[in-house]
Amino acid sequence: MLASHQALTAYRAVGTGNAVASAPPEQLTRMLLDGACERIARAKGHLQRGQVAERGAQTGAAIAIVDELRASLRHEVAPALCANLDALYDYVQRLLLRAGVEQRVAPLDEATHLLGEIQLAWEAVTTLGAPEQAVP
């Protein structure tokens, strides 16, 4: 989970608004995942239109959000799960970088798919309860 200050800083950096200040930690994680996917979708559109600077800005924002997700992992709660998620988040960040270098959509699509799978798992965990012990 994210410390309130970390999440607030991340969201202000990518322009998501004031709703973050009062959101519980599990909602902040959902918002980060949604925000990353949204930025990737925007980056894909910019890439398809040949808007390099805009694509770079959106990709950079997505990478920053994923970095916040990585920083929020609670290794002391679930070391093995956190190690796996950290590796997955690292891979997603490398996909985002590769999309820019190669000017291809496929890495963006793969990153979106992987984050979507994490979103589904996070929803299941928080729906079942005990989000204070969950690891995003």
Side-chain angles (χ1 to χ4, degrees), residues 1-3 7 11 20 23-37 65 68-70 72-74 85 89 115 118-119 121-123 125-126 131 134-136:
M1 281 186 236
L2 294 174
Y11 270 87
V20 173
E26 61 273 10
Q27 180 64 28
L28 292 175
T29 299
R30 278 190 220 109
M31 292 170 73
L32 284 170
L33 289 165
D34 289 344
C37 289
I65 293 171
E68 277 299 318
L69 288 163
R70 288 180 78 183
S72 73
L73 294 172
R74 297 178 59 196
L85 280 171
Y89 288 143
L115 291 174
I118 295 170
Q119 282 178 308
W122 182 245
E123 288 296 324
V125 167
T126 57
V135 180

Side-chain angles (χ1 to χ4, degrees), residues 19-73:
V20 173
S22 62
E26 61 273 10
Q27 180 64 28
L28 292 175
T29 299
R30 278 190 220 109
M31 292 170 73
L32 284 170
L33 289 165
D34 289 344
C37 289
E38 180 182 324
R39 274 29 170 231
I40 294 168
R42 289 180 189 172
K44 181 178 176 178
H46 291 306
L47 177 62
Q48 291 170 329
R49 291 186 296 278
Q51 300 168 322
V52 176
E54 294 87 349
R55 188 252 330 131
Q58 293 302 315
T59 301
I63 289 170
I65 293 171
V66 174
D67 200 47
E68 277 299 318
L69 288 163
R70 288 180 78 183
S72 73
L73 294 172

Side-chain angles (χ1 to χ4, degrees), residues 45-118:
H46 291 306
L47 177 62
Q48 291 170 329
R49 291 186 296 278
Q51 300 168 322
V52 176
E54 294 87 349
R55 188 252 330 131
Q58 293 302 315
T59 301
I63 289 170
I65 293 171
V66 174
D67 200 47
E68 277 299 318
L69 288 163
R70 288 180 78 183
S72 73
L73 294 172
R74 297 178 59 196
H75 293 271
E76 70 281 1
V77 174
L81 176 60
C82 287
N84 288 336
L85 280 171
D86 187 62
L88 187 57
Y89 288 143
D90 176 67
Y91 179 66
V92 167
Q93 288 177 313
R94 286 185 284 122
L95 284 170
L96 296 173
L97 291 171
R98 190 171 71 188
V101 170
E102 297 175 0
Q103 296 296 304
R104 292 180 355 152
V105 170
L108 296 175
D109 289 339
E110 185 176 355
T112 301
H113 172 75
L114 292 171
L115 291 174
E117 292 295 317
I118 295 170

